Amino acid sequence: MTRSRILSFLILCVISACVYFFFFRKSNALDNYANDLEDLIIRESIAANMKVFAAKPHRAGTPENHAVGHRIMKELQSSGATVSTTEYSVELPEPGSGSLFLTAPDAQEIPYSEKVFQQDPYTTLSGQEKPYFAYIPDSDIEGEIIYANYGDRADYEYLKQQGISVAGKIALVRAQGSCRGMKQMIAEEEGLSGLLLFPEPKDHGFRKQPYPGGPGLHSLVAQRGSMLKFFVYPGDPFTAVKDEREPTLPTVAALPVTTEAAELLFQRLDGISNSAWKGWLSNSYPIGPGPARVRIQYQSRRESKKIRNIFGRIEGTNTLEPALMVSCHYDAWIYGASDPGSGTAAVLETAKALLQLRKNGWKPKRDILFAFWDAEEYGMIGSTNWVHHHLPQARGGIANLLFVDSVRGPVFSATLLPGLRGLLDDVLKYCTDPNTGKSVLEFHTQYDMPGFSDDTIPFSNLAGVPLGQLNYGIHYPMYHSIYDNLTWMERFGDPGYSYAANLSRILALYAIRLTNEDRLPFRFSEFATHYEKQLSKVLLENMQGKEQTAQINELIATVKEVGALGAKLETDDIRRISAENRKRMNTFLLQASLSFTEEPGKTTVPFRYRNVVAGPSPDNECAGIELPGLNRALRQNSKERLHHEMDRLHEAFLKSKEYLQQAVSVLDSRSGR
């Protein structure tokens, strides 16, 4: 073969390789990355980190939690991430001395601590880790017991309809349903003197053999937690910030108790039973009042602690573009094998896999910033402090936020703002369910709105960042108890860590999907279509009259315009504009996505209603819904407030439309349109 023919042959090979890469490889990019991640995400690595993360109890501010943070930093640094930290001094309530006494109809102490199981070596510390609710006021109260179901407003209304005065009573309520802070807020409104929260077996789904023989709830589980009303405002309630705050500290005494303790109290209650309030305990669930009376004594202490947020950065090809933030928390109430250990290990494994992928040649368009928050369990203290101190960076430097809490069961779950959902669907079709071998997308039915009880809250309602949460499972019986440890996790929660590994693969592939495009990935067409349907449903079903109809139609017309502009930006070829113009276009896209949250210092709207499109539900303020301010106005049946909320929505969509129009003008500027 002549030299010229050899040269021609080599050139043809190079061209063929380029064609393959740019057409075949590119068209199957997610498929190829999914195959790569199968080898890069290692279950044994997750298991090794879990044994460190869940080895000891590690509340925020303790040396043990500091050691968990050190392990995270070491793993990130050895994998090649750029690591940084932020530290804050805060006052945290430590477990205090508490007791629960039955004073009538007979007198005895009611134990509510967890017990040791010989099959579970981690439970030997149960005597040192007495259940408590953080921030509860010091108390010494006595009162009559009533059973109040979930402790919701409708539950107390039912009791009052039965002629029962709830003021001054101590309510025995189920721990599930609305969140602790919501139960506390309603108890304060109703004038109760105390709360006793117990885990109801029926609320955990199918009957399963109790632990330690099986994975199910047993009678000795007590579920700790923070009693802050963090949906009102997250973060440290003792820290002064230059921002208006509503009170978040609880004022009603409360204790977490076991189902064993609840059963004993039910046996000493009289009164009728409500069939809708019955669970799976062996009693009739009488509502009282009395004759059971109890005395709650509790005294805590506050200590000054250092908390530390940890960050690992993967640099993109354009470090000036807003980053994707992937986050979790690493502090726990006790061992926290599921919550948060499994989530922390999955996020860390994601970071390590993407760092290795980058070494192998992959380069994201934008930075990926991994954040490991501290003091989440107390009320999102680490994340809220960071957002307060870095608000310009949070509001202008983060395109999207993903949060992982834990692995709690065998089914993938996600709560996402519309605009990010179709992108995750693109990913799930390439991810395999560990149990069936089928695509995860086949098992995933619908997306709910992001909740309002985790580290996404300050980003949603202070920074306005489009976000979502990815987990495996929803509820699990060992939640916030001493039994959420490696014995339960490795026997029942996630044997072999196949769910945690799959969560890591989904997260890694989603991060690739969100950072591989030249344009910011938020889909305004999906976002607008969703809210057009929501507004039509919420408003047209609840409002009548020409004036209201005209206002509704004008608002919906603007939403449609946002969707049309979004569709154009998502389908037009942006390779024809310069890199400088792409950056300008992305700046407008970012501002368009931030238009739905009013900026701190520029609004008098209460914190939980500053985001006009996503926020807390009026029925359970820790659950997320669309259009929170509008729903509140409808609930209050206030015509004036309703018009005000529609004006706020219209202003937000108009503002977003203007930014999208500017983005379109940049896109069209080089094409002669």
Side-chain angles (χ1 to χ4, degrees):
M1 184 180 291
T2 64
R3 181 178 297 179
S4 60
R5 287 185 177 180
I6 293 173
L7 183 60
S8 299
F9 175 75
L10 291 174
I11 292 172
L12 181 61
C13 289
V14 171
I15 293 173
S16 299
C18 291
V19 169
Y20 172 85
F21 181 82
F22 283 106
F23 290 95
F24 180 80
R25 170 90 186 187
K26 187 173 181 180
S27 65
N28 295 277
L30 288 178
D31 192 22
N32 284 296
Y33 289 130
N35 291 333
D36 293 339
L37 291 169
E38 284 292 328
D39 297 325
L40 294 177
I41 291 172
I42 305 167
R43 289 192 294 170
E44 289 77 12
S45 173
I46 293 174
N49 280 321
M50 284 289 290
K51 291 187 186 303
V52 175
F53 296 161
K56 298 177 181 178
H58 55 105
R59 287 187 305 278
T62 63
E64 291 79 10
N65 199 49
H66 186 85
V68 171
H70 180 75
R71 171 73 174 211
I72 294 168
M73 293 174 63
K74 181 180 177 182
E75 290 277 285
L76 289 170
Q77 288 167 341
S78 63
S79 298
T82 303
V83 179
S84 61
T85 63
T86 59
E87 291 190 355
Y88 305 98
S89 294
V90 297
E91 288 192 354
L92 298 177
E94 285 291 294
S97 58
S99 59
L100 180 64
F101 287 92
L102 185 73
T103 58
D106 53 315
Q108 62 174 294
E109 183 173 3
I110 302 177
Y112 62 94
S113 294
E114 294 146 330
K115 302 294 190 295
V116 176
F117 289 136
Q118 290 183 348
Q119 304 95 318
D120 185 349
Y122 293 95
T123 61
T124 56
L125 294 181
S126 59
Q128 304 172 34
E129 295 288 346
K130 196 162 187 177
Y132 79 113
F133 288 135
Y135 299 105
I136 284 299
D138 289 352
S139 313
D140 188 348
I141 61 167
E142 184 180 351
E144 241 180 352
I145 290 281
I146 55 172
Y147 171 50
N149 197 29
Y150 291 108
D152 295 335
R153 290 188 177 93
D155 297 329
Y156 291 116
E157 188 60 35
Y158 170 80
L159 290 170
K160 287 183 281 188
Q161 289 171 0
Q162 305 308 308
I164 298 172
S165 173
V166 302
K169 301 294 194 300
I170 296 174
L172 179 65
V173 300
R174 291 151 79 151
Q176 279 66 48
S178 58
C179 60
R180 289 178 300 275
M182 185 78 173
K183 298 179 196 292
Q184 171 71 212
M185 183 170 71
I186 296 171
E188 292 171 355
E189 293 171 358
E190 297 291 346
L192 272 78
S193 63
L195 286 170
L196 299 173
L197 274 61
F198 74 97
E200 164 57 51
K202 186 177 180 180
D203 294 331
H204 290 278
F206 298 106
R207 294 180 188 269
K208 296 180 180 178
Q209 185 177 0
Y211 186 72
L217 180 73
H218 62 78
S219 62
L220 299 176
V221 168
Q223 298 178 343
R224 298 151 181 79
S226 173
M227 197 59 89
L228 278 187
K229 291 165 278 188
F230 47 70
F231 47 81
V232 173
Y233 206 108
D236 182 4
F238 307 122
T239 301
V241 295
K242 294 179 180 178
D243 204 301
E244 72 283 352
R245 284 193 182 213
E246 299 176 63
T248 61
L249 286 169
T251 59
V252 172
L255 285 177
V257 299
T258 63
T259 53
E260 183 179 75
E263 185 85 73
L264 188 150
L265 292 172
F266 274 124
Q267 291 167 1
R268 287 158 177 79
L269 278 178
D270 289 338
I272 64 170
S273 296
N274 182 338
S275 60
W277 289 13
K278 289 183 179 180
W280 287 348
L281 299 182
S282 60
N283 66 84
S284 62
Y285 288 77
I287 62 175
R293 294 178 63 88
V294 296
R295 180 183 182 185
I296 297 175
Q297 293 177 299
Y298 185 74
Q299 188 170 10
S300 66
R301 66 188 192 279
R302 278 177 16 210
E303 293 184 5
S304 179
K305 302 281 189 178
K306 286 277 190 182
I307 62 171
R308 178 175 60 180
N309 300 323
I310 299 167
F311 304 94
R313 184 180 293 271
I314 300 177
E315 289 190 357
T317 55
N318 189 344
T319 57
L320 298 178
E321 291 276 359
L324 167 67
M325 178 176 275
V326 180
S327 62
C328 63
H329 74 98
Y330 67 95
D331 64 302
W333 285 117
I334 312 290
Y335 297 105
S338 171
D339 179 13
S342 60
T344 310
V347 171
L348 183 57
E349 192 67 12
T350 299
K352 292 165 62 180
L354 291 180
L355 284 161
Q356 185 59 51
L357 202 61
R358 197 183 191 287
K359 292 176 184 177
N360 295 346
W362 168 70
K363 293 182 180 179
K365 302 286 185 184
R366 288 171 291 283
D367 287 6
I368 303 176
L369 181 62
F370 287 87
F372 299 81
W373 305 116
D374 202 352
E376 186 267 0
E377 295 290 8
Y378 280 93
M380 286 56 76
I381 293 177
S383 57
T384 303
N385 272 12
W386 187 84
V387 172
H388 269 298
H389 288 88
H390 301 83
L391 189 59
Q393 180 182 347
R395 194 168 176 89
I398 299 173
N400 309 112
L401 170 74
L402 302 178
F403 180 78
V404 171
D405 188 69
S406 58
V407 172
R408 302 183 176 193
V411 180
F412 174 74
S413 63
T415 56
L416 291 167
L417 192 71
L420 295 173
R421 296 176 177 182
L423 294 163
L424 183 55
D425 283 343
D426 292 345
V427 166
L428 294 181
K429 69 179 72 171
Y430 293 103
C431 299
T432 303
D433 175 67
N435 291 322
T436 65
K438 297 180 179 180
S439 164
V440 174
L441 187 61
E442 294 184 43
F443 295 88
H444 189 71
T445 54
Q446 65 178 23
Y447 296 106
D448 292 325
M449 291 297 290
F452 217 69
S453 61
D454 54 58
D455 282 314
T456 61
I457 300 177
F459 289 91
S460 171
N461 281 44
L462 289 175
V465 177
L467 49 79
Q469 181 175 155
L470 281 62
N471 293 307
Y472 252 85
I474 302 174
H475 301 297
Y476 72 114
M478 303 311 163
Y479 174 74
H480 285 189
S481 75
I482 199 167
Y483 308 108
D484 180 5
N485 58 44
L486 285 172
T487 301
W488 181 84
M489 193 71 182
E490 293 181 349
R491 286 184 62 198
F492 304 113
D494 188 9
Y497 297 107
S498 59
Y499 304 140
N502 211 43
L503 178 59
S504 186
R505 290 187 194 98
I506 293 170
L507 187 61
L509 205 57
Y510 196 24
I512 291 170
R513 184 73 181 86
L514 293 172
T515 57
N516 259 22
E517 291 188 20
D518 287 315
R519 63 170 65 82
L520 291 188
F522 189 73
R523 297 293 188 251
F524 285 94
S525 59
E526 176 188 302
F527 175 82
T529 298
H530 181 89
Y531 281 101
E532 179 189 344
K533 292 177 181 177
Q534 281 294 315
L535 286 165
S536 298
K537 178 181 177 182
V538 171
L539 293 175
L540 294 178
E541 288 181 2
N542 290 279
M543 295 183 66
Q544 296 178 353
K546 292 182 179 179
E547 180 186 354
Q548 292 93 331
T549 302
Q551 189 179 13
I552 293 168
N553 289 338
E554 187 179 7
L555 171 57
I556 291 177
T558 303
V559 176
K560 287 182 177 179
E561 290 178 300
V562 167
L565 290 166
K568 175 179 174 58
L569 288 161
E570 292 151 23
T571 56
D572 274 17
D573 184 4
I574 67 169
R575 290 175 296 178
R576 54 191 170 81
I577 64 175
S578 65
E580 181 182 351
N581 276 341
R582 283 199 294 270
K583 185 178 184 304
R584 287 182 59 220
M585 185 188 73
N586 281 335
T587 298
F588 292 130
L589 286 175
L590 179 66
Q591 292 304 314
S593 70
L594 298 177
S595 298
F596 301 96
T597 301
E598 297 177 350
E599 294 186 53
K602 298 182 180 180
T603 179
T604 58
V605 174
F607 168 82
R608 58 194 189 274
Y609 303 114
R610 289 181 189 171
N611 188 320
V612 297
V613 295
S617 162
D619 296 315
N620 178 8
E621 303 241 15
C622 292
I625 60 167
E626 298 94 342
L627 311 170
L630 189 66
N631 275 285
R632 179 181 63 156
L634 287 168
R635 193 183 191 88
Q636 294 173 343
N637 198 24
S638 168
K639 182 178 179 181
E640 180 181 356
R641 183 170 291 279
L642 197 57
H643 283 295
H644 173 68
E645 290 298 334
M646 282 197 291
D647 285 341
R648 289 181 67 216
L649 276 163
H650 199 193
E651 182 180 345
F653 275 98
L654 280 172
K655 187 177 179 182
S656 183
K657 186 185 87 170
E658 291 170 2
Y659 283 121
L660 292 176
Q661 286 173 330
Q662 293 181 75
V664 168
S665 68
V666 173
L667 186 61
D668 289 345
S669 63
R670 297 293 182 183
S671 60
R673 295 184 184 181

